[in-house]
Amino acid sequence: MDVPAARRWLAILALALGGFGIGVTEFVTMGLLPNIAADLLPGQYAVDAAGANANAGLLVSAYALGVVVGAPTIAAAAARWPRKRLLLVLVTVFVVGNLLSAILPSFGLVLAARFVSALPHGAYFGIASLVAASLMGPDKRARGVAFVLGGLTLANVVGVPFGTFLGQNFGWRSAYLLVGVIFAVTLVAIAVTVPFRPGDPTATMRNELKAFTRLQVWLTLAVGSIGFGGVFAVYTYVAPVVTDVTRQGDGFVPWVLVAFGVGMTIGNALAGWLTDRSVKRSLVIGILGTGLSVLAFALTAHTVVGLLVSIFFVGAFAGSCSPAIQTRLMDVSHNAQTIAAALNHSALNIGNTLGAFLGGLAIAAGFGYLSPSYVGVGLAALGFAALMVSFAVDRVRRAG
């Protein structure tokens, strides 16, 4: 795209603002899980707080499931649409979904609203990443992706802790109202700054769906969906770990979220630079580091220092994975890049669902709030195994 530098950066900032809103709406639920459980599941919470927290974790799983369903469906169905028009539609759905999350009265209805809120998530990041990569040029495409994802990581430094503080002091619904406002601003910013380009008339749903016929696409999705589950096995239940394991008050939860967010931001920034040099090396570092940092969390979260340091590294390696997986999918999908770019967030949110669900099972079985961390170590190990298989397939194909 031949776009003046000033407008190019404003467009990327507008896209990153959308990523910021997505980061807040996706992760703020974890910090407010006990508050939501106490309000929407009061009977169970009074008798069994741990069980109520585990059931409230279904809100995390519902959001993740919405991403998984929405990303490939929207990306394939709207393959011919101009990317700017699609982005505006997706952001509008974000506004509506988050406002519904804030006002609906029952757990079941809020659960449905979280699912709806998530439908545009993967498609937004996929399309925004492709737009940013084209604006930055071929030599800096991973950095373009990282800039957009940087909005999500920055959300974990500023937006999620603030949203958690807001929700703890003014009711959890206020956090989702905040997100609705963020997306309304994003809608205006994208409309003003992102250049319009016609859609691709040759793009078809059939061509996009061919991505699913490629073994390397499936293996890369497995790396993200299984390996990244280790992060969410920990992060989903971080609030009760703070209060029941580390023995700190609710007011300490936002500071733990800040540590996670700072780690994510640093990891994402470094990953953009490293992935432009070696996608494979970046993937190995990200998945191995995820497993080791989750194990460190399980072993050290009893202390304040151990909790803060380990959650920082969980965030750092989580942040490093996404640009690398995104770029790998774009490489192995050939001419189905729209759906491949969106599938990255389907994969990561399968990990979100898997980690939250298996972690909740471990807690409900009575193994304690640190038991999801050990589940996470196993998931990271399986993700690394899938990565090694993917690399082996590359070597066999080159040799053939």
Side-chain angles (χ1 to χ4, degrees):
M1 292 184 183
D2 184 18
V3 179
R7 185 175 182 186
R8 179 170 67 242
W9 283 108
L10 286 173
I12 289 175
L13 286 173
L15 297 172
L17 180 61
F20 180 85
I22 292 173
V24 178
T25 196
E26 180 176 17
F27 293 117
V28 78
T29 305
M30 286 80 155
L32 294 172
L33 210 60
N35 308 78
I36 296 172
D39 183 38
L40 295 181
L41 302 168
Q44 183 182 14
Y45 192 84
V47 176
D48 178 16
N53 284 332
N55 285 336
L58 291 174
L59 294 173
V60 177
S61 298
Y63 186 92
L65 184 61
V67 179
V68 173
V69 172
T73 304
I74 295 171
R80 294 186 181 183
W81 284 31
R83 288 173 177 171
K84 179 175 180 177
R85 181 185 302 167
L86 179 55
L87 286 170
L88 292 174
V89 171
L90 296 174
V91 175
T92 300
V93 176
F94 277 130
V95 173
V96 174
N98 281 280
L99 291 179
L100 288 174
S101 299
I103 64 175
L104 290 173
S106 69
F107 181 78
L109 290 174
V110 173
L111 192 72
R114 297 311 296 151
F115 177 82
V116 171
S117 299
L119 290 173
H121 178 128
Y124 177 88
F125 271 124
I127 301 302
S129 294
L130 290 172
V131 171
S134 66
L135 287 169
M136 293 292 289
D139 295 337
K140 299 179 180 178
R141 60 183 184 141
R143 271 169 277 189
V145 172
F147 276 124
V148 174
L149 295 174
L152 186 150
T153 61
L154 186 61
N156 284 278
V157 180
V158 180
V160 175
F162 179 74
T164 302
F165 171 82
L166 195 70
Q168 288 175 342
N169 289 276
F170 299 97
W172 61 268
R173 296 177 186 277
S174 63
Y176 294 122
L177 287 174
L178 170 67
V179 177
V181 172
I182 292 170
F183 281 122
V185 174
T186 300
L187 187 68
V188 175
I190 290 176
V192 172
T193 64
V194 173
F196 179 84
R197 292 291 185 273
D200 181 0
T202 66
T204 65
M205 182 180 290
R206 176 177 293 182
N207 285 339
E208 291 294 325
L209 292 177
K210 284 180 180 177
F212 290 108
T213 68
R214 299 187 173 98
L215 175 61
Q216 286 289 33
V217 169
W218 283 106
L219 288 171
T220 306
L221 291 174
V223 172
S225 60
I226 300 172
F228 210 68
V231 174
F232 285 98
V234 170
Y235 195 61
T236 300
Y237 303 101
V238 70
V241 168
V242 171
T243 56
D244 289 49
V245 177
T246 320
R247 303 293 182 183
Q248 301 297 307
D250 284 347
F252 193 65
V253 173
W255 294 107
V256 177
L257 301 182
V258 168
F260 180 87
V262 170
M264 274 196 90
T265 301
I266 293 173
N268 178 75
L270 292 175
W273 176 84
L274 180 60
T275 302
D276 276 328
R277 284 153 179 78
S278 174
V279 176
K280 290 184 176 181
R281 187 181 302 124
S282 186
L283 284 167
V284 169
I285 292 171
I287 299 298
L288 271 181
T290 295
L292 292 173
S293 61
V294 169
L295 178 61
F297 182 90
L299 297 175
T300 66
H302 296 87
T303 68
V304 170
V305 173
L307 173 68
L308 290 173
V309 172
S310 60
I311 200 69
F312 169 85
F313 280 105
V314 171
F317 288 111
S320 74
C321 287
S322 191
I325 294 172
Q326 184 91 68
T327 306
R328 174 75 171 171
L329 278 170
M330 290 163 65
D331 288 342
V332 299
S333 65
H334 303 297
N335 63 341
Q337 290 208 345
T338 299
I339 196 168
L343 283 172
N344 178 40
H345 288 271
S346 285
L348 298 184
N349 279 273
I350 290 174
N352 188 333
T353 304
L354 192 63
F357 175 71
L358 294 178
L361 288 181
I363 293 171
F367 293 113
Y369 285 121
L370 285 180
S371 59
S373 304
Y374 294 102
V375 173
V377 173
L379 291 172
L382 290 173
F384 185 75
L387 183 63
M388 293 300 99
V389 172
S390 179
F391 291 170
V393 170
D394 277 345
R395 289 193 294 272
V396 169
R397 287 180 175 174
R398 283 197 303 268

